[in-house]
Amino acid sequence: MMGITSLSPKGHGWHKKFRDELVSGEEKLQVEGGAFSESRVNGKFTSDQSLVYNAVLDAQNAVISAMRPGVSWVDMHKLAEKTILESLKKGCLLVGDVDDMMVERMGSIFMPHGLGHLLGIDTHDPGGYLKGAERPTEPGLRSLRTSRELLEGMVITVEPGCYFIDALLVPAMESSKTSKFFDREEIIRFRGFGGVRIESDVVLQLLNFIYHI
């Protein structure tokens, strides 16, 4: 499993990966790309960090539990979105009916990237869209690297995320269609939070068995 961290309002484009390592004490966190040189961490989640981390972890677990041959990857992406929205509602950041939020594509506000990508000879392996396949056009879904049904033997990443990006949050909070879903007093606390993404690489096999790489 890999954790991807974002350390500032502008940090959602950069990530640092860890393999089963706990960052604690006075260790410094170096961000890939040099966008931000370092940040000290103490190995403990605040309540806000725990809320967002567990929202993403629950989404990943829900997807992996539902993966099997014949399942649509688009549906898996929507499942991750819905799980995250449910967690944010439970944490009092959002209000209203989650199914209504899904209709308005609220999931793409917090998870604007695709759920994952095929792995093979290349890190982002080709074959996500076969000849003649139609690409989704809705917000969030158009970022998917594949819309295929899952097949036995596929190797694919499952990497949901939850980000708080002003360029997406502010228009959504001002929109007549989506403003009703926000608890403004709560959500404003997360502006500048950055985000969390958790990645697992899995091999899809028969009998609903998922092998974690």
Side-chain angles (χ1 to χ4, degrees):
M1 179 181 292
M2 299 181 185
I4 300 179
T5 63
S6 174
L7 302 182
S8 85
K10 297 181 180 179
H12 50 78
W14 304 88
H15 58 266
K16 176 72 179 179
K17 300 175 184 177
F18 303 92
R19 291 189 179 274
D20 299 323
E21 296 178 13
L22 175 64
V23 182
S24 61
E26 287 299 307
E27 294 182 55
K28 297 178 180 178
L29 184 60
Q30 183 73 31
V31 182
E32 280 184 329
F36 312 99
S37 60
E38 64 184 40
S39 177
R40 293 187 180 275
V41 295
N42 63 13
K44 297 179 181 179
F45 283 151
T46 66
S47 58
D48 288 346
Q49 291 169 341
S50 181
L51 168 63
V52 178
Y53 178 85
N54 283 303
V56 177
L57 183 61
D58 287 348
Q60 187 188 64
N61 288 336
V63 169
I64 291 176
S65 294
M67 289 173 66
R68 57 183 55 86
V71 168
S72 165
W73 192 241
V74 175
D75 289 342
M76 294 297 93
H77 181 97
K78 290 180 178 179
L79 174 59
E81 288 183 327
K82 186 172 184 179
T83 304
I84 289 171
L85 291 175
E86 289 171 342
S87 294
L88 296 182
K89 178 181 176 180
K90 185 177 180 180
C92 300
L93 277 69
L94 301 177
V95 296
D97 186 81
V98 173
D99 288 332
D100 291 341
M101 297 180 199
M102 291 292 292
V103 170
E104 299 298 340
R105 299 300 305 135
M106 280 283 292
S108 67
I109 305 302
F110 300 97
M111 193 173 87
H113 58 85
L115 176 60
H117 56 84
L118 296 173
L119 284 170
I121 296 176
D122 197 356
T123 302
H124 296 88
D125 217 36
Y129 289 96
L130 302 180
K131 186 176 181 179
E134 293 187 8
R135 291 176 177 265
T137 59
E138 296 177 85
L141 300 181
R142 59 179 170 234
S143 298
L144 283 169
R145 290 181 177 269
T146 184
S147 62
R148 293 174 61 179
E149 290 187 353
L150 297 174
L151 300 174
E152 181 188 6
M154 274 186 171
V155 184
I156 195 165
T157 69
V158 181
E159 45 182 305
C162 182
Y163 294 88
F164 298 83
I165 304 169
D166 275 352
L168 299 176
L169 274 176
V170 173
M173 292 173 68
E174 295 176 349
S175 168
S176 60
K177 293 183 177 180
T178 54
S179 60
K180 61 186 177 183
F181 296 122
F182 293 95
D183 184 320
R184 291 178 177 272
E185 292 185 2
E186 292 294 320
I187 201 75
I188 196 170
R189 194 171 73 250
F190 286 80
R191 292 181 64 180
F193 177 91
V196 172
R197 192 188 303 194
I198 303 173
E199 174 179 342
S200 282
D201 305 331
V202 303
V203 180
L204 192 71
Q205 298 186 356
L206 289 178
L207 303 177
N208 300 340
F209 178 76
I210 303 294
Y211 176 73
H212 292 249
I213 297 177

